[in-house]
Amino acid sequence: MLRNIIDITDLTVEEIDQLIATAEDILANPAKYQDACAHKQLATLFFEPSTRTRLSFESAMLALGGSVLGFSEAASSSTAKGETVGDTVHTVSCYADIIAMRHPKEGAPYAAAQFSEVPIINAGDGGHNHPTQTLTDLLTIHREKGRLDNFTIGFCGDLKFGRTVHSLVNALSRYENIRFVLISPAELKLPRYVKEEALKKRGIPYEQTESLEEVMPKLDILYMTRVQKERFFNEEDYLRLKDSYILTPEKLAEAKPDLSILHPLPRVNEISVAVDKDPRAAYWKQVKNGKFIRMALILKLLNIPTFS
Ligand code: NCD
């Protein structure tokens, strides 16, 4: 059966745990997997800018012995001539075995999947979802903490437009005893539909605050995010809100010694470079993990047996 990953809940918790186990096995024994996708092709269709997501997908497929094709901006595809996303994806599905697609419009990968003959992976749709960043985040939390339950996580920054936040809240709401602390300016709060679907429906308590300092001592994980400039309707609002939170070594003085600091990246200025040296900074490890969990996902969607 054709499987698409449009939303993180397209995967069960058991499947996510299995993907993490596969990623761990690939990390430990990369040579075992080096020809697993021989003669298979991944297409990356990026209608929006990307560094990590696109290149980690490509690097993942190359490390599995497969090959890659695609485009990294809409302007270099037939979109510029007026072709619909559905026709573009239908075309590419005639050439590739699997497609990773990023698009500025919410829901575009879901719509495109109706025209595809091969699995579609949502690599980010507007301010909506980003399920493979969530897999990256979950692998990172698992590696840092040794578990995916029983912790307090603070999400800080642009919780309104941050699609990585929406998908990660959704994913973690299915694990036991996660305490959610939502830290943002009033204008950038987590959207009501995410709170309803992920938290309220499941009866999961959460706390909302504007002060990072106040909640810092109780956090086990701090998930920092960039204010999503490209999603604002006017520049004035962006300029007013862009410096709402800047994490510095001084602000970490009150944090737990075993805090893990995550960020999907790219960062603008919300984490000072001085924090990179702090052993609690896990965001560069997170970048690396993104490749291995995407390797595991490609194997799963192509129905290629793994060894874990
Ligand atoms: C994120 C995204 O594209 O949503 N980046 C990523 O994929 N690692 C976060 C962001 O752009 O701020």
Side-chain angles (χ1 to χ4, degrees):
M1 200 186 70
L2 199 62
R3 261 320 268 287
N4 303 309
I5 304 301
I6 306 298
D7 190 287
I8 192 66
T9 55
D10 290 335
L11 293 164
T12 65
V13 170
E14 292 71 30
E15 285 178 314
I16 290 176
D17 293 344
Q18 185 58 49
L19 286 172
I20 290 174
T22 303
E24 287 288 0
D25 194 50
I26 301 171
L27 273 153
N29 311 288
K32 259 182 10 189
Y33 294 87
Q34 66 192 8
D35 300 315
C37 284
H39 313 297
K40 299 282 185 195
Q41 301 190 358
L42 163 81
T44 51
L45 310 186
F46 277 62
F47 297 86
E48 232 193 17
S50 170
T51 300
R52 273 149 296 270
T53 304
R54 184 171 62 83
L55 295 180
S56 67
F57 262 116
E58 297 189 357
S59 170
M61 191 51 157
L62 295 173
L64 291 166
S67 50
V68 296
L69 63 159
F71 52 81
S72 55
E73 50 180 344
S76 64
S77 76
S78 283
T79 305
K81 299 179 182 172
E83 186 172 55
T84 63
V85 177
D87 280 358
T88 302
V89 166
H90 193 166
T91 302
V92 176
S93 80
C94 298
Y95 306 139
D97 300 289
I98 184 165
I99 296 174
M101 170 187 168
R102 168 172 288 190
H103 200 281
K105 284 227 167 75
E106 290 79 7
Y110 174 79
Q114 319 307 314
F115 300 89
S116 177
E117 294 170 19
V118 302
I120 298 274
I121 303 171
N122 177 6
D125 62 326
H128 193 210
N129 283 324
H130 194 347
T132 64
Q133 180 62 45
T134 296
L135 293 174
T136 303
D137 302 339
L138 294 174
L139 174 60
T140 306
I141 294 171
H142 194 264
R143 302 204 95 206
E144 294 297 300
K145 297 275 175 241
R147 63 181 193 279
L148 286 174
D149 49 21
N150 294 298
F151 55 72
T152 301
I153 180 166
F155 290 90
C156 180
D158 186 348
L159 311 190
K160 178 179 181 186
F161 296 117
R163 55 193 174 195
T164 66
V165 172
H166 307 161
S167 292
L168 184 55
V169 167
N170 228 319
L172 286 175
S173 68
R174 297 190 293 175
Y175 289 87
E176 288 301 310
N177 194 25
I178 308 289
R179 295 166 296 275
F180 293 85
V181 183
L182 309 174
I183 310 145
S184 74
E187 293 99 320
L188 298 179
K189 279 188 183 159
L190 191 69
R192 192 180 307 173
Y193 79 89
V194 181
K195 275 185 236 164
E196 285 291 338
E197 283 299 308
L199 303 175
K200 288 190 182 162
K201 243 191 193 170
R202 298 192 170 102
I204 299 170
Y206 61 89
E207 176 184 345
Q208 293 192 104
T209 176
E210 291 191 26
S211 166
L212 175 58
E213 280 85 346
E214 244 168 53
V215 295
M216 186 71 93
K218 67 171 132 184
L219 302 180
D220 300 304
I221 297 168
L222 172 58
Y223 194 93
M224 291 296 294
T225 62
R226 165 181 77 91
V227 176
Q228 307 276 299
K229 180 179 185 194
E230 66 276 31
R231 315 253 180 253
F232 277 70
F233 299 110
N234 68 70
E235 205 185 343
E236 241 168 71
D237 286 350
Y238 171 69
L239 293 175
R240 188 164 46 80
L241 293 166
K242 74 180 175 60
D243 297 328
S244 297
Y245 303 98
I246 299 176
L247 188 66
T248 57
E250 295 70 43
K251 287 195 187 146
L252 284 165
E254 298 295 312
K256 286 189 180 174
D258 64 346
L259 173 76
S260 298
I261 306 164
L262 272 68
H263 189 311
L265 303 183
R267 95 176 121 188
V268 181
N269 64 344
E270 59 281 356
I271 300 184
S272 123
V273 176
V275 175
D276 294 10
K277 289 194 230 79
D278 191 305
R280 294 169 289 188
Y283 35 91
W284 290 109
K285 293 188 240 176
Q286 200 178 348
V287 172
K288 235 180 184 173
N289 292 337
K291 170 179 174 177
F292 297 95
I293 199 77
R294 289 183 172 98
M295 289 172 80
L297 183 65
I298 291 169
L299 291 170
K300 177 175 179 62
L301 295 181
L302 291 178
N303 294 315
I304 293 171
T306 56
F307 310 96
S308 56

